[in-house]
């Protein structure tokens, strides 16, 4: 029996890259999958129903259950339709994997408003949109006496949580906010039976192949028979574990690449200075160098 037998999962951006690997593994593990993908280019421009449908065809050809959704998760309605489709097609919703993403890199001094808005819209608002409509569904289920055993897996990035990346102010800010959103959502949704975690993956996809300085490393040939440490397929087993009933973890962020999974920890006090009364600026200067 598969680790996700009987589960219904929505996976955003599942037409390509890491999300595609999640969808294929989830289906092999017994989940019915709603394969969402808008099908645009790296920057989120354009749309194409092909990528989502191809993944659905691959899953169904192998005997699995899947349906395509080619809506835009950056919109409130697109996210609502996606959640509704899982319920109308498969009768329930157990798992949301928020994964869809784009890049519009640029240094802050020259960043266009459209570059900022598009990246925040797809990553941060896109994560929230799907989370919001799924949470509302799960809340209704819990209130009706059908307490869910559900999970959300969000997609952060090293660029937002461990390695500040010049040229990615929009992307890094969105990804850091997704880590924060994950912790708040874990706290809020526990009452309905929903666990919420995030990953910060690293793998060879069209996004990393197009990133200056990374493309060459990721594109390097892997000799036949050797472990491909940059394969996007390396990311999905952790996501399947976090989505399944064997997992009790909630409110965590994990870095994952190749054969390594690291639990990350966020902002915390490293030093505290105190005063009895109001601070003098010079006091602060002397004690907080
Ligand atoms: N590849 C890496 O090393 C890496 C590192 C850190 C984080 N990530 C994150 O992993 C996720 C997957 O990225 P990937 O590398 O597989 O890239 P990818 O471009 O191969 O896949 C992303 C998919 O999301 C889809 N998408 C984009 N905007 C959408 C929207 N508004 N609605 C629906 N679908 C949309 C795209 O069409 C695409 O198929 C992203 O959130 C990315 O930021 C990837």
């Amino acid at each position: 029996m598969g680790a996700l037998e009987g589960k219904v999962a929505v996976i955003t951006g599942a037409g390509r890259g890491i999300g595609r690997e999640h969808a294929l593994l989830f289906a092999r593990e017994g989940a019915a999958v709603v394969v969402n993908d808008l099908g645009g280019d790296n920057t989120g421009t354009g749309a194409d129903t092909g990528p989502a449908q191809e993944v659905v065809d691959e899953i169904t050809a192998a005997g699995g259950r899947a349906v395509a959704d080619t809506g835009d998760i950056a919109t409130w309605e697109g996210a609502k339709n996606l959640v509704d489709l899982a319920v109308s097609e498969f009768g329930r919703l157990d798992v949301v994997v928020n994964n869809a993403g784009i890049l519009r890199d640029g240094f802050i001094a020259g960043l266009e408003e459209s570059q900022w808005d598009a990246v925040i819209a797809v990553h941060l608002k896109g994560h929230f949109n799907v989370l919001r409509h799924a949470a509302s569904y799960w809340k209704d289920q819990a209130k009706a006496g059908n307490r869910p055993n559900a999970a959300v897996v969000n997609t952060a990035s090293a660029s937002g949580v461990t390695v500040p990346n010049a040229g990615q102010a929009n992307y890094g800010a969105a990804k850091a906010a997704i880590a924060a959103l994950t912790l708040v959502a874990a706290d809020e949704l526990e009452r309905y039976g929903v666990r919420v975690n995030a990953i910060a993956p690293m793998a060879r996809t069209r996004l990393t192949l197009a990133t200056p300085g990374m493309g060459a490393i990721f594109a390097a040939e892997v000799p036949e028979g050797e472990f491909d440490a940059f394969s996007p397929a390396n990311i999905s087993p952790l996501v399947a574990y976090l989505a399944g009933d064997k997992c009790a973890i909630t409110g965590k962020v994990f870095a994952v690449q190749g054969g390594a999974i690291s639990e990350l920890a966020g902002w915390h006090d490293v030093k505290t200075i105190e005063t009895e009364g109001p601070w003098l600026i010079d006091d602060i200067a002397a004690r907080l160098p």
Side-chain angles (χ1 to χ4, degrees):
M1 185 163 137
L4 298 172
E5 210 67 54
K7 297 275 187 195
V8 175
V10 155
I11 306 176
T12 71
R16 303 189 184 94
I18 295 170
R20 174 177 174 276
E21 299 294 341
H22 297 339
L24 297 175
L25 179 63
F26 272 49
R28 284 201 300 277
E29 292 295 333
V33 184
V34 183
V35 177
N36 160 266
D37 206 294
L38 181 61
D41 69 12
N42 266 4
T43 68
T45 307
D48 179 359
T49 56
Q53 192 55 50
E54 280 162 29
V55 173
V56 167
D57 292 347
E58 201 172 334
I59 290 172
T60 50
R65 292 191 300 155
V67 65
D69 173 281
T70 54
D72 181 355
I73 51 80
T75 69
W76 190 259
E77 276 310 306
K80 182 170 188 326
N81 293 341
L82 176 59
V83 168
D84 289 349
L85 181 63
V87 179
S88 64
E89 194 73 22
F90 298 118
R92 53 188 293 125
L93 175 63
D94 305 289
V95 180
V96 165
V97 181
N98 276 314
N99 164 83
I102 61 168
L103 284 177
R104 293 195 187 186
D105 291 357
F107 284 97
I108 292 168
L111 202 72
E112 300 288 343
E113 186 180 12
S114 60
Q115 288 175 282
W116 178 266
D117 286 349
V119 168
I120 299 296
V122 172
H123 288 279
L124 181 53
K125 190 174 178 203
H127 267 64
F128 177 72
N129 286 342
V130 183
L131 173 70
R132 157 65 176 77
H133 292 293
S136 155
Y137 165 79
W138 285 321
K139 180 183 174 188
D140 290 348
Q141 291 293 305
K143 287 219 155 145
N146 308 317
R147 187 177 160 80
N149 200 354
V152 176
V153 184
N154 292 330
T155 307
S157 167
S159 181
V161 293
T162 48
V163 188
N165 211 355
Q168 294 196 324
N170 48 4
Y171 181 74
K175 290 305 200 185
I178 285 168
L181 174 65
T182 300
L183 305 196
V184 176
D187 195 26
E188 276 194 25
L189 301 193
E190 196 164 20
R191 73 198 71 183
Y192 310 131
V194 185
R195 296 177 298 98
V196 187
N197 294 288
I199 60 161
M202 184 73 81
R204 183 193 315 106
T205 68
R206 65 177 189 165
L207 286 189
T208 40
L209 287 172
T211 302
M214 285 172 90
I217 305 167
F218 282 76
E221 285 274 316
V222 180
E224 184 83 22
E226 277 190 24
F227 177 50
D228 179 1
F230 291 121
S231 167
N234 297 330
I235 310 302
S236 304
L238 171 63
V239 175
Y241 172 65
L242 292 172
D245 290 343
K246 281 192 184 151
C247 180
I249 299 169
T250 193
K252 299 285 184 194
V253 181
F254 296 95
V256 50
Q257 187 239 310
I261 295 171
S262 314
E263 184 181 330
L264 304 179
W267 294 106
H268 57 279
D269 295 351
V270 287
K271 172 180 177 172
T272 304
I273 56 169
E274 288 181 283
T275 183
E276 293 293 314
W279 281 106
L280 296 176
I281 295 170
D282 283 346
D283 257 2
I284 298 174
R287 295 175 59 198
L288 193 69

